[in-house]
């Protein structure tokens, strides 16, 4: 079981999909991500494009985010997110059973403050396609932050005005932070 680390839902347990379907972010990495944004999370809009259990969005809401959106194409994982949402009684979470690129093609411009991407590690092309779509369609606000979880130690990204501004390593995974260098 996963747990919410901090905030109003602190220590609440979350169901998770079968590990053959998803790969949950380790608590240590999730805690570090949220520690790095803890002073700017209040009242923000979050998007998780590969949601799994929905833990990233639920953690954001627990810590004061205004609203969060989970995107999950796997039906079993989608149902787990709905169960987690119901168990917490969370009303500020939207959950969509679709793939990331389909959602990005319809997403509103300049809406999200934070976008989290944790695609299948083997699919670097999907990650890059999602990042390009986020930037081309201006789905993230100008001062927003894109957070990528990957096992690639050599991810390079420089597109339009977006650059990797910070990289952190946790065991075998890397967390990349991308921002607009206006």
């Amino acid at each position: 079981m996963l747990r919410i680390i901090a905030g109003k839902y602190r220590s609440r347990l979350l169901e998770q999909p079968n590990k053959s379907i998803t790969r949950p972010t380790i608590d240590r990495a999730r805690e570090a991500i949220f520690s790095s944004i803890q002073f700017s999370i209040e009242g923000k809009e979050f998007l998780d494009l590969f949601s799994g259990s929905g833990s990233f969005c639920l953690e954001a809401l627990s810590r004061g985010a205004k609203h969060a959106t989970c995107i999950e194409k796997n039906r079993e994982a989608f149902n787990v997110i709905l169960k987690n949402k119901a168990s917490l009684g969370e009303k500020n979470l939207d959950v969509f059973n679709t793939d990331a690129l389909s959602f990005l093609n319809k997403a509103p411009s300049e809406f999200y403050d934070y976008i989290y991407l944790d695609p299948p590690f083997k699919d670097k092309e999907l990650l890059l396609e999602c990042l390009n779509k986020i930037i081309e369609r201006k789905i993230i606000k100008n001062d927003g932050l894109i957070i990528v979880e990957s096992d690639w130690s050599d991810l390079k990204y420089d597109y339009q005005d977006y650059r990797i501004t910070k990289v952190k390593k946790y065991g075998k995974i890397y967390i990349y932070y991308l921002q607009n260098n206006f």
Side-chain angles (χ1 to χ4, degrees):
M1 294 288 268
L2 294 170
R3 67 182 175 86
I4 301 287
I5 298 164
K8 67 182 178 182
Y9 301 132
R10 183 184 177 148
S11 299
R12 296 280 300 267
L13 294 177
L14 300 174
E15 284 190 39
Q16 66 185 52
N18 185 312
K19 288 187 179 169
S20 67
I21 297 170
T22 63
R23 175 189 25 76
T25 301
I26 59 172
D27 278 358
R28 195 176 96 201
R30 192 161 29 100
E31 187 167 8
I33 290 167
F34 280 98
S35 290
S36 72
I37 61 175
Q38 70 185 352
F39 299 112
S40 61
I41 199 169
E42 190 78 29
K44 302 294 182 171
E45 294 282 346
F46 278 76
L47 171 63
D48 182 352
L49 289 169
F50 302 88
S51 294
S53 66
S55 65
F56 187 81
C57 285
L58 292 167
E59 185 76 41
L61 291 165
S62 180
R63 292 174 183 242
K66 177 172 67 173
H67 186 266
T69 304
C70 286
I71 307 303
E72 179 54 59
K73 76 174 186 175
N74 180 280
R75 187 59 142 170
E76 179 186 329
F78 169 77
N79 288 330
V80 167
I81 298 168
L82 293 177
K83 285 180 190 172
N84 287 332
K85 176 184 176 180
S87 77
L88 297 175
E90 183 55 63
K91 299 194 183 329
N92 295 321
L93 178 68
D94 290 332
V95 186
F96 297 96
N97 186 207
T98 187
D99 67 275
L101 288 172
S102 294
F103 178 82
L104 290 173
N105 282 323
K106 300 174 197 161
S109 292
E110 297 183 28
F111 188 74
Y112 295 100
D113 299 286
Y114 294 94
I115 299 178
Y116 181 68
L117 295 94
D118 180 12
F121 282 172
K122 291 179 170 73
D123 204 341
K124 194 171 191 176
E125 187 177 307
L126 176 60
L127 170 62
L128 295 175
E129 203 173 339
C130 286
L131 287 171
N132 292 345
K133 185 75 65 180
I134 289 165
I135 293 163
E136 288 166 3
R137 294 207 57 246
K138 296 179 175 26
I139 293 166
I140 191 150
K141 292 179 182 174
N142 268 341
D143 60 348
L145 181 66
I146 301 170
I147 303 166
V148 175
E149 178 181 333
S150 174
D151 66 346
W152 308 308
S153 61
D154 62 345
L155 180 65
K156 304 284 186 252
Y157 193 80
D158 183 352
Y159 185 67
Q160 294 184 10
D161 289 330
Y162 281 82
R163 313 270 180 289
I164 295 172
T165 57
K166 181 167 74 168
V167 180
K168 294 289 187 176
K169 185 176 191 275
Y170 302 95
K172 296 177 183 178
I173 67 164
Y174 294 83
I175 305 296
Y176 294 90
Y177 296 82
L178 293 84
Q179 287 183 294
N180 185 343
N181 291 335
F182 18 73

